[in-house]
Amino acid sequence: MSHPALSLKVTRQDPELIAPAAPTPRELKYLSDIDDQEGLRFHIPVIQFYRQSHLGRGRDPVRVIREAIAKALVHYYPFAGRLREVGSGGKLAVDCTGEGVMFIEADANVSVDEFGDVLQPPFPGLDELLFDVPGSGGVVGCPLILIQVTRLICGGFIVAIRLNHTMADATGLVNFMTAVGEMARGQTYLSVQPVWRRELLNARNPPRVTCVHHEYDQVEGTIVPFENMVHRSFFFGPDEVAALRKLVPPHLTRCSAFELLTAALWRTRTVSLKLDPAEEVRVMCIVNARDKFNPPLPKGYYGNAFAFPVALTSAGELSAHPIEFALQLVKKAKNDVTEESMKSVADLMVLNNRPHFTVIRSYVVSDVTRTGFETVDFGWGEAAYGGPAKGGVGAIPGVASFYIPAKNKKGEKGITIPVCLPAEAMDVFVKEMDGLLETGRLAGETSKKMTTPFITSAL
């Protein structure tokens, strides 16, 4: 289990700006019409834990990473600039000033192991490990990336990152951090060259919305209440996924684990919130669209290149049917992402003043199990944990969950999913999900109890 009462003390040095290590072009670079939509105008936190390693013996991670960032920014120089709005429509563009990204050097009085047997969000002391420097968190005119490197008493360290989401998605951020890692390990070249090319995801001329986009519906109502929210992470290993698979008919058993888990979570979450049966509910599956284009987007493209395809039904229908009902809706939604639908979204952004995606009675899920946060190597090997620092989208709790690669105490590989709900709803969620898993086990002709607890952390 993790330790929410961890006695953490962090000593930080004054924030500094790290500029590119060599001169870079001074120019204005426009974001794409997918990048600068209202729903991405926030900062997203990521965290990586590294254990002590003989590979990095005698080296200071703060110095190594600081110097590597400067070198990587020569190639990713837009990150060293500042966003500004251009024209009366508020279009975002990067003024490539070369000012740099914000960097914080820190030391903490704890070891990696004190964060728990299983590293997963929510992490205690996150605000200390990723300090919100006053005045740095805006979208326009602020540093686009903030990085805090915190040494630990065990010889390990933590790298916490805050990214202005309009600049890049998870794949793009991993591309940049991988470049930092390569510079830190002494490489003189990047394995993947960054590609700007944001015009590839701009609106057409003239713009024309050719697809239905329920992800941007204007919906009346209230979002999940902020009060008394509970954060918990749930581990789904091979046994749990197999149990859920037993609950769907044979023609659906070849679905992906992502589709299956999304269906189960969406239904269970809806039941736990006790919504009016007539109310409309939706789940949005974040889908990387890079390979949906013909030809695919360039490998080094680091802008936002994902869609929010929507599965939509009523709370009553979703709750009354078995998970196969939700599963079929999820599978169809994922298949709706095409090159044409992405172009249609870009056109919608221009025609409708960049609307925010729908948050009312919505649940957003994002699979980062293959993104590669944990593979970033600064010279100490791969991270013991790498991925989102918490659940949620921006300042809106309870709306989103990430699917994060993880291992349980037995070393089995699986997926950790942070969930945030009001306390009463969380109790129902746990009971409903446990019931689904037990039913699946019985359907699989086994009544063996789980050998590892379903709930793996709570705060």
Side-chain angles (χ1 to χ4, degrees):
M1 60 180 294
S2 62
H3 299 273
L6 179 69
S7 180
L8 174 68
K9 182 179 179 181
V10 177
T11 303
R12 292 181 300 273
Q13 304 301 315
D14 291 338
E16 59 183 296
L17 290 175
I18 299 180
T24 55
R26 177 66 192 265
E27 57 188 347
L28 191 67
K29 301 179 82 69
Y30 285 86
L31 299 187
S32 79
D33 290 320
I34 298 294
D35 288 326
D36 70 357
Q37 58 184 291
E38 188 65 31
L40 297 183
R41 296 188 179 202
F42 68 95
H43 293 255
I44 189 166
V46 170
I47 195 164
Q48 296 160 307
F49 288 76
Y50 292 87
R51 298 187 185 279
Q52 183 181 32
S53 169
H54 69 279
L55 298 172
R57 185 171 296 147
R59 305 175 77 203
D60 175 14
V62 170
R63 181 185 60 79
V64 169
I65 295 173
R66 180 194 282 118
E67 293 176 359
I69 291 169
K71 294 176 182 177
L73 284 174
V74 175
H75 306 274
Y76 285 87
Y77 64 89
F79 278 136
R82 299 293 182 267
L83 284 178
R84 59 186 177 93
E85 293 185 341
V86 180
S88 59
K91 176 70 178 177
L92 290 178
V94 185
D95 187 359
C96 298
T97 61
E99 291 174 73
V101 302
M102 185 158 283
F103 184 85
I104 303 172
E105 172 184 351
D107 293 273
N109 63 333
V110 296
S111 67
V112 171
D113 290 340
E114 290 181 73
F115 285 90
D117 299 327
V118 178
L119 292 169
Q120 60 194 0
F123 294 104
L126 179 60
D127 290 344
E128 294 295 315
L129 299 169
L130 184 57
F131 181 65
D132 181 16
V133 178
S136 70
V139 173
V140 175
C142 292
L144 299 172
I145 296 178
L146 183 152
I147 300 174
Q148 179 173 326
V149 181
T150 304
R151 305 179 192 91
L152 304 176
I153 59 174
C154 60
F157 59 95
I158 296 171
V159 179
I161 307 149
R162 192 185 69 190
L163 166 73
N164 184 319
H165 206 334
T166 62
M167 285 293 294
D169 57 14
T171 299
L173 178 58
V174 169
N175 283 356
F176 172 67
M177 296 309 296
T178 298
V180 174
E182 290 175 343
M183 297 294 99
R185 301 197 310 274
Q187 284 188 203
T188 57
Y189 63 92
L190 300 185
S191 59
V192 176
Q193 290 294 323
V195 176
W196 183 259
R197 298 293 306 278
R198 303 298 169 103
E199 73 278 2
L200 293 172
L201 288 174
N202 273 350
R204 294 169 287 199
N205 188 17
R208 52 193 186 276
V209 179
T210 54
C211 302
V212 176
H213 298 289
H214 287 302
E215 61 270 36
Y216 299 104
D217 287 346
Q218 300 303 298
V219 177
E220 294 184 358
T222 58
I223 62 175
V224 173
F226 291 152
E227 295 82 12
N228 200 23
M229 299 295 280
V230 175
H231 299 254
R232 287 180 174 169
S233 283
F234 301 91
F235 179 81
F236 293 87
D239 291 343
E240 289 76 31
V241 173
L244 292 175
R245 210 174 287 278
K246 293 292 182 180
L247 300 176
V248 301
H251 72 281
L252 290 174
T253 55
R254 294 180 65 85
C255 65
S256 69
F258 172 82
E259 293 165 344
L260 183 64
L261 289 171
T262 298
L265 286 163
W266 182 32
R267 180 186 180 279
T268 305
R269 182 179 181 275
T270 301
V271 170
S272 73
L273 289 171
K274 299 179 180 179
L275 302 173
D276 184 323
E279 287 189 320
E280 191 176 69
V281 293
R282 67 194 70 211
V283 66
M284 303 183 203
C285 309
I286 293 181
V287 173
N288 186 339
R290 283 168 169 77
D291 292 336
K292 304 293 184 181
F293 288 80
N294 185 21
L297 296 181
K299 187 176 181 181
Y301 186 86
Y302 62 102
N304 291 283
F306 64 87
F308 296 94
V310 169
L312 184 69
T313 187
S314 70
E317 286 286 300
L318 184 61
S319 302
H321 285 86
I323 65 170
E324 65 182 86
F325 176 77
L327 178 58
Q328 292 180 90
L329 292 176
V330 169
K331 287 175 67 67
K332 180 183 181 303
K334 281 184 60 184
N335 291 333
D336 287 343
V337 181
T338 62
E339 180 173 357
E340 180 63 28
S341 73
M342 291 296 292
K343 292 178 177 178
S344 181
V345 168
D347 295 344
L348 176 71
M349 291 299 116
V350 170
L351 292 172
N352 288 15
N353 195 29
R354 293 178 293 277
H356 198 294
F357 61 84
T358 310
V359 296
I360 306 299
R361 297 184 296 278
S362 294
Y363 184 40
V364 183
V365 294
S366 178
D367 183 2
V368 296
T369 57
R370 296 179 178 85
T371 305
F373 284 113
E374 74 284 0
T375 66
V376 175
D377 180 0
F378 299 108
W380 281 258
E382 294 189 355
Y385 171 90
K390 60 181 179 179
V393 175
I396 307 172
V399 171
S401 288
F402 295 100
Y403 296 8
I404 305 168
K407 293 180 181 179
N408 63 11
K409 292 181 181 180
K410 298 193 300 181
E412 294 175 327
K413 290 185 177 181
I415 299 172
T416 285
I417 304 178
V419 175
C420 179
L421 287 170
E424 182 179 344
M426 183 64 79
D427 290 340
V428 179
F429 182 93
V430 171
K431 182 179 178 181
E432 290 287 329
M433 185 61 74
D434 277 337
L436 276 180
L437 292 169
E438 187 63 19
T439 301
R441 290 191 199 92
L442 292 172
E445 297 182 348
T446 176
S447 59
K448 181 180 178 182
K449 297 292 184 181
M450 293 176 64
T451 56
T452 55
F454 174 56
I455 302 175
T456 56
S457 77
L459 179 59

